[in-house]
């Protein structure tokens, strides 16, 4: 059962390290793991439930990715928005 949610963990890891790499573009883009975890976990809590595990994973992937994207784009300088 635990392996069912492996894609959610992999997506969270991928998105965090992509966001962390933004510091190469500008030194102002530093995101802590703790802050990212808070945003990601809140998104997972808000994801709509589903009885079928595959659908639940799909909802979790969408919610986590969208929350991270929204969080990061709020803090980007206008000139860097096309990059992300």
């Amino acid at each position: 059962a635990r392996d069912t949610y492996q894609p959610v963990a992999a997506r969270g890891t991928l998105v965090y390290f992509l966001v962390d790499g933004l510091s190469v573009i500008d030194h102002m883009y530093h995101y802590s793991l703790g802050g990212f975890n808070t945003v990601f976990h809140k998104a997972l809590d808000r994801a709509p439930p589903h009885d079928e595990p595959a659908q639940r994973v799909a909802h979790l992937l969408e919610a986590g990715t969208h929350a991270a994207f929204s969080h990061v784009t709020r803090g980007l300088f206008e000139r860097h928005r096309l990059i992300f």
Side-chain angles (χ1 to χ4, degrees):
R2 191 173 66 189
D3 290 339
T4 304
Y5 295 96
Q6 194 72 18
V8 179
R11 174 76 58 89
T13 303
L14 175 68
V15 171
Y16 173 73
F17 283 108
L18 287 172
V19 168
D20 189 52
L22 288 174
S23 63
V24 173
I25 296 168
D26 194 297
H27 71 281
M28 295 294 290
Y29 301 137
H30 285 280
Y31 294 90
S32 71
L33 180 58
F36 181 83
N37 262 344
T38 300
V39 170
F40 199 73
H41 283 271
K42 283 183 181 179
L44 298 183
D45 290 340
R46 286 192 308 263
H50 202 282
D51 292 334
E52 186 180 321
Q55 280 299 109
R56 176 68 177 153
V57 167
H59 290 296
L60 293 173
L61 288 170
E62 176 67 27
T65 305
H66 184 266
F69 177 78
S70 297
H71 179 72
V72 170
T73 53
R74 267 183 294 212
L76 288 178
F77 295 127
E78 190 66 37
R79 66 181 182 265
H80 295 141
R81 293 219 170 145
L82 290 176
I83 294 171
F84 190 69

